[in-house]
Amino acid sequence: MSEILDEVIRRYINTKRDSLLPLLQEIQNELGYLSEESINRIGQMTGLPTSKIYGVATFYDQFRFEPRGRFHITVCHGTACHVNASQQIIQELERVLKIKAGQTTRDGTYSLEVVDCMGACAIGPVININGKYVHGVEVQKVKEIIDSCISNSSVYESSR
Ligand code: FES
């Protein structure tokens, strides 16, 4: 893992605070999240203070600081889904899973992420579980959908 990390950072070795975004994005693409180790390593290799790196990373919603869960749930909060109650769906997911968007459950089973338009507005509100769309989601069905991850784990895990 650290070899991959070093290889990515080396490509951005002269990066400055204002141009950290592509480096952070690439690391997240490789690791699935920004680990403490990766932030420290960026600091060591580029000479940038870790506080500045965290400052940039936490400014953007797109970065995660915890590994993804076995079932990674992405919820759309784009305009079309928003008018179809996506905010209530997000709140219900947070309530049922007992985590906030951007977090992973303690047992590593679920992680939750909120994104803008997923390009499936006509069938919204939509959520995506490990790359598989669930459309026309209703607030009262959220618990059932969560439970179905376990009961249909072969479906969701095969689409990872
Ligand atoms: S706004 Fe949700 S898929 Fe487009």
PDB file of all heavy atoms in Angstrom, residues 75-83 86 115-126 133, ligand 1:
ATOM      1  N   VAL A  75     -25.996   8.348  -1.926  1.00  0.00           N
ATOM      2  CA  VAL A  75     -27.323   8.943  -2.070  1.00  0.00           C
ATOM      3  C   VAL A  75     -27.213  10.195  -2.908  1.00  0.00           C
ATOM      4  O   VAL A  75     -26.333  11.029  -2.674  1.00  0.00           O
ATOM      5  CB  VAL A  75     -27.907   9.388  -0.704  1.00  0.00           C
ATOM      6  CG1 VAL A  75     -29.393   9.663  -0.826  1.00  0.00           C
ATOM      7  CG2 VAL A  75     -27.623   8.388   0.368  1.00  0.00           C
ATOM      8  N   CYS A  76     -28.122  10.336  -3.858  1.00  0.00           N
ATOM      9  CA  CYS A  76     -28.107  11.532  -4.695  1.00  0.00           C
ATOM     10  C   CYS A  76     -28.823  12.680  -3.989  1.00  0.00           C
ATOM     11  O   CYS A  76     -29.908  12.500  -3.446  1.00  0.00           O
ATOM     12  CB  CYS A  76     -28.790  11.240  -6.020  1.00  0.00           C
ATOM     13  SG  CYS A  76     -28.848  12.713  -7.053  1.00  0.00           S
ATOM     14  N   HIS A  77     -28.193  13.840  -4.047  1.00  0.00           N
ATOM     15  CA  HIS A  77     -28.809  15.031  -3.482  1.00  0.00           C
ATOM     16  C   HIS A  77     -28.895  16.124  -4.537  1.00  0.00           C
ATOM     17  O   HIS A  77     -28.905  17.304  -4.243  1.00  0.00           O
ATOM     18  CB  HIS A  77     -28.002  15.499  -2.255  1.00  0.00           C
ATOM     19  CG  HIS A  77     -28.755  16.442  -1.392  1.00  0.00           C
ATOM     20  ND1 HIS A  77     -28.217  17.609  -0.919  1.00  0.00           N
ATOM     21  CD2 HIS A  77     -30.019  16.398  -0.933  1.00  0.00           C
ATOM     22  CE1 HIS A  77     -29.137  18.238  -0.193  1.00  0.00           C
ATOM     23  NE2 HIS A  77     -30.222  17.516  -0.188  1.00  0.00           N
ATOM     24  N   GLY A  78     -28.918  15.690  -5.789  1.00  0.00           N
ATOM     25  CA  GLY A  78     -29.080  16.640  -6.900  1.00  0.00           C
ATOM     26  C   GLY A  78     -30.478  17.233  -6.888  1.00  0.00           C
ATOM     27  O   GLY A  78     -31.353  16.772  -6.152  1.00  0.00           O
ATOM     28  N   THR A  79     -30.704  18.223  -7.727  1.00  0.00           N
ATOM     29  CA  THR A  79     -31.969  18.964  -7.707  1.00  0.00           C
ATOM     30  C   THR A  79     -33.186  18.062  -7.912  1.00  0.00           C
ATOM     31  O   THR A  79     -34.148  18.124  -7.143  1.00  0.00           O
ATOM     32  CB  THR A  79     -31.944  20.056  -8.800  1.00  0.00           C
ATOM     33  OG1 THR A  79     -30.760  20.814  -8.612  1.00  0.00           O
ATOM     34  CG2 THR A  79     -33.146  20.962  -8.693  1.00  0.00           C
ATOM     35  N   ALA A  80     -33.148  17.216  -8.925  1.00  0.00           N
ATOM     36  CA  ALA A  80     -34.321  16.379  -9.224  1.00  0.00           C
ATOM     37  C   ALA A  80     -34.631  15.430  -8.074  1.00  0.00           C
ATOM     38  O   ALA A  80     -35.797  15.210  -7.727  1.00  0.00           O
ATOM     39  CB  ALA A  80     -34.097  15.597 -10.517  1.00  0.00           C
ATOM     40  N   CYS A  81     -33.617  14.866  -7.468  1.00  0.00           N
ATOM     41  CA  CYS A  81     -33.844  13.968  -6.331  1.00  0.00           C
ATOM     42  C   CYS A  81     -34.240  14.761  -5.092  1.00  0.00           C
ATOM     43  O   CYS A  81     -35.053  14.305  -4.287  1.00  0.00           O
ATOM     44  CB  CYS A  81     -32.605  13.120  -6.071  1.00  0.00           C
ATOM     45  SG  CYS A  81     -32.350  11.854  -7.330  1.00  0.00           S
ATOM     46  N   HIS A  82     -33.679  15.953  -4.980  1.00  0.00           N
ATOM     47  CA  HIS A  82     -34.004  16.793  -3.826  1.00  0.00           C
ATOM     48  C   HIS A  82     -35.508  17.100  -3.772  1.00  0.00           C
ATOM     49  O   HIS A  82     -36.126  17.024  -2.716  1.00  0.00           O
ATOM     50  CB  HIS A  82     -33.183  18.086  -3.863  1.00  0.00           C
ATOM     51  CG  HIS A  82     -33.447  18.987  -2.709  1.00  0.00           C
ATOM     52  ND1 HIS A  82     -32.970  18.716  -1.441  1.00  0.00           N
ATOM     53  CD2 HIS A  82     -34.158  20.126  -2.610  1.00  0.00           C
ATOM     54  CE1 HIS A  82     -33.373  19.668  -0.628  1.00  0.00           C
ATOM     55  NE2 HIS A  82     -34.098  20.531  -1.301  1.00  0.00           N
ATOM     56  N   VAL A  83     -36.084  17.442  -4.927  1.00  0.00           N
ATOM     57  CA  VAL A  83     -37.525  17.741  -4.927  1.00  0.00           C
ATOM     58  C   VAL A  83     -38.360  16.488  -4.687  1.00  0.00           C
ATOM     59  O   VAL A  83     -39.554  16.568  -4.448  1.00  0.00           O
ATOM     60  CB  VAL A  83     -37.997  18.479  -6.217  1.00  0.00           C
ATOM     61  CG1 VAL A  83     -37.302  19.814  -6.366  1.00  0.00           C
ATOM     62  CG2 VAL A  83     -37.806  17.612  -7.441  1.00  0.00           C
ATOM     63  N   SER A  86     -35.105  13.572  -1.299  1.00  0.00           N
ATOM     64  CA  SER A  86     -33.820  12.920  -1.011  1.00  0.00           C
ATOM     65  C   SER A  86     -33.261  13.337   0.361  1.00  0.00           C
ATOM     66  O   SER A  86     -32.583  12.541   1.008  1.00  0.00           O
ATOM     67  CB  SER A  86     -32.791  13.186  -2.113  1.00  0.00           C
ATOM     68  OG  SER A  86     -32.450  14.542  -2.158  1.00  0.00           O
ATOM     69  N   VAL A 115     -23.903  12.560  -2.800  1.00  0.00           N
ATOM     70  CA  VAL A 115     -23.294  13.127  -4.002  1.00  0.00           C
ATOM     71  C   VAL A 115     -24.323  13.968  -4.759  1.00  0.00           C
ATOM     72  O   VAL A 115     -25.519  13.875  -4.505  1.00  0.00           O
ATOM     73  CB  VAL A 115     -22.755  12.028  -4.949  1.00  0.00           C
ATOM     74  CG1 VAL A 115     -21.650  11.229  -4.289  1.00  0.00           C
ATOM     75  CG2 VAL A 115     -23.875  11.118  -5.421  1.00  0.00           C
ATOM     76  N   ASP A 116     -23.838  14.751  -5.705  1.00  0.00           N
ATOM     77  CA  ASP A 116     -24.741  15.483  -6.579  1.00  0.00           C
ATOM     78  C   ASP A 116     -25.220  14.523  -7.661  1.00  0.00           C
ATOM     79  O   ASP A 116     -24.904  13.353  -7.623  1.00  0.00           O
ATOM     80  CB  ASP A 116     -24.031  16.706  -7.160  1.00  0.00           C
ATOM     81  CG  ASP A 116     -23.820  17.760  -6.076  1.00  0.00           C
ATOM     82  OD1 ASP A 116     -24.653  17.826  -5.157  1.00  0.00           O
ATOM     83  OD2 ASP A 116     -22.819  18.475  -6.141  1.00  0.00           O
ATOM     84  N   CYS A 117     -25.939  15.048  -8.618  1.00  0.00           N
ATOM     85  CA  CYS A 117     -26.624  14.235  -9.636  1.00  0.00           C
ATOM     86  C   CYS A 117     -25.837  13.001 -10.093  1.00  0.00           C
ATOM     87  O   CYS A 117     -24.671  13.070 -10.445  1.00  0.00           O
ATOM     88  CB  CYS A 117     -26.930  15.106 -10.847  1.00  0.00           C
ATOM     89  SG  CYS A 117     -27.855  14.233 -12.094  1.00  0.00           S
ATOM     90  N   MET A 118     -26.524  11.856 -10.069  1.00  0.00           N
ATOM     91  CA  MET A 118     -25.920  10.593 -10.529  1.00  0.00           C
ATOM     92  C   MET A 118     -26.275  10.317 -11.978  1.00  0.00           C
ATOM     93  O   MET A 118     -25.976   9.239 -12.494  1.00  0.00           O
ATOM     94  CB  MET A 118     -26.438   9.424  -9.689  1.00  0.00           C
ATOM     95  CG  MET A 118     -25.988   9.410  -8.265  1.00  0.00           C
ATOM     96  SD  MET A 118     -26.650   7.886  -7.523  1.00  0.00           S
ATOM     97  CE  MET A 118     -26.208   8.132  -5.838  1.00  0.00           C
ATOM     98  N   GLY A 119     -26.994  11.246 -12.598  1.00  0.00           N
ATOM     99  CA  GLY A 119     -27.353  11.063 -14.008  1.00  0.00           C
ATOM    100  C   GLY A 119     -28.522  10.114 -14.196  1.00  0.00           C
ATOM    101  O   GLY A 119     -28.695   9.542 -15.273  1.00  0.00           O
ATOM    102  N   ALA A 120     -29.325   9.932 -13.157  1.00  0.00           N
ATOM    103  CA  ALA A 120     -30.486   9.040 -13.259  1.00  0.00           C
ATOM    104  C   ALA A 120     -31.722   9.778 -12.751  1.00  0.00           C
ATOM    105  O   ALA A 120     -32.596   9.196 -12.111  1.00  0.00           O
ATOM    106  CB  ALA A 120     -30.225   7.777 -12.448  1.00  0.00           C
ATOM    107  N   CYS A 121     -31.817  11.072 -13.091  1.00  0.00           N
ATOM    108  CA  CYS A 121     -32.864  11.944 -12.550  1.00  0.00           C
ATOM    109  C   CYS A 121     -34.274  11.412 -12.804  1.00  0.00           C
ATOM    110  O   CYS A 121     -35.146  11.530 -11.953  1.00  0.00           O
ATOM    111  CB  CYS A 121     -32.758  13.337 -13.150  1.00  0.00           C
ATOM    112  SG  CYS A 121     -31.095  13.992 -13.142  1.00  0.00           S
ATOM    113  N   ALA A 122     -34.497  10.820 -13.963  1.00  0.00           N
ATOM    114  CA  ALA A 122     -35.842  10.371 -14.330  1.00  0.00           C
ATOM    115  C   ALA A 122     -36.354   9.257 -13.425  1.00  0.00           C
ATOM    116  O   ALA A 122     -37.564   9.039 -13.336  1.00  0.00           O
ATOM    117  CB  ALA A 122     -35.855   9.909 -15.782  1.00  0.00           C
ATOM    118  N   ILE A 123     -35.458   8.553 -12.768  1.00  0.00           N
ATOM    119  CA  ILE A 123     -35.903   7.437 -11.914  1.00  0.00           C
ATOM    120  C   ILE A 123     -35.638   7.720 -10.430  1.00  0.00           C
ATOM    121  O   ILE A 123     -35.599   6.834  -9.605  1.00  0.00           O
ATOM    122  CB  ILE A 123     -35.251   6.098 -12.340  1.00  0.00           C
ATOM    123  CG1 ILE A 123     -33.717   6.198 -12.332  1.00  0.00           C
ATOM    124  CG2 ILE A 123     -35.758   5.664 -13.700  1.00  0.00           C
ATOM    125  CD1 ILE A 123     -32.993   4.875 -12.491  1.00  0.00           C
ATOM    126  N   GLY A 124     -35.437   9.020 -10.136  1.00  0.00           N
ATOM    127  CA  GLY A 124     -35.122   9.412  -8.776  1.00  0.00           C
ATOM    128  C   GLY A 124     -36.332   9.366  -7.863  1.00  0.00           C
ATOM    129  O   GLY A 124     -37.465   9.251  -8.341  1.00  0.00           O
ATOM    130  N   PRO A 125     -36.121   9.495  -6.594  1.00  0.00           N
ATOM    131  CA  PRO A 125     -34.796   9.625  -5.989  1.00  0.00           C
ATOM    132  C   PRO A 125     -34.021   8.291  -6.022  1.00  0.00           C
ATOM    133  O   PRO A 125     -34.613   7.237  -5.861  1.00  0.00           O
ATOM    134  CB  PRO A 125     -35.100  10.050  -4.551  1.00  0.00           C
ATOM    135  CG  PRO A 125     -36.482   9.549  -4.291  1.00  0.00           C
ATOM    136  CD  PRO A 125     -37.198   9.530  -5.611  1.00  0.00           C
ATOM    137  N   VAL A 126     -32.747   8.404  -6.234  1.00  0.00           N
ATOM    138  CA  VAL A 126     -31.935   7.200  -6.375  1.00  0.00           C
ATOM    139  C   VAL A 126     -30.861   7.095  -5.295  1.00  0.00           C
ATOM    140  O   VAL A 126     -30.335   8.100  -4.823  1.00  0.00           O
ATOM    141  CB  VAL A 126     -31.222   7.107  -7.745  1.00  0.00           C
ATOM    142  CG1 VAL A 126     -32.195   6.773  -8.851  1.00  0.00           C
ATOM    143  CG2 VAL A 126     -30.446   8.355  -8.064  1.00  0.00           C
ATOM    144  N   TYR A 133     -27.876   0.563  -8.796  1.00  0.00           N
ATOM    145  CA  TYR A 133     -28.891   1.580  -8.512  1.00  0.00           C
ATOM    146  C   TYR A 133     -30.141   0.996  -7.874  1.00  0.00           C
ATOM    147  O   TYR A 133     -30.598  -0.085  -8.262  1.00  0.00           O
ATOM    148  CB  TYR A 133     -29.321   2.282  -9.803  1.00  0.00           C
ATOM    149  CG  TYR A 133     -28.302   3.277 -10.293  1.00  0.00           C
ATOM    150  CD1 TYR A 133     -27.398   2.948 -11.290  1.00  0.00           C
ATOM    151  CD2 TYR A 133     -28.237   4.559  -9.739  1.00  0.00           C
ATOM    152  CE1 TYR A 133     -26.448   3.858 -11.727  1.00  0.00           C
ATOM    153  CE2 TYR A 133     -27.289   5.475 -10.169  1.00  0.00           C
ATOM    154  CZ  TYR A 133     -26.407   5.120 -11.162  1.00  0.00           C
ATOM    155  OH  TYR A 133     -25.467   6.018 -11.586  1.00  0.00           O
TER     156      TYR A 133
HETATM  157  S1  FES B   1     -30.616  14.652  -9.408  1.00  0.00           S
HETATM  158 FE1  FES B   1     -30.507  12.647  -8.627  1.00  0.00          FE
HETATM  159  S2  FES B   1     -29.905  11.478 -10.333  1.00  0.00           S
HETATM  160 FE2  FES B   1     -29.990  13.492 -11.084  1.00  0.00          FE
END
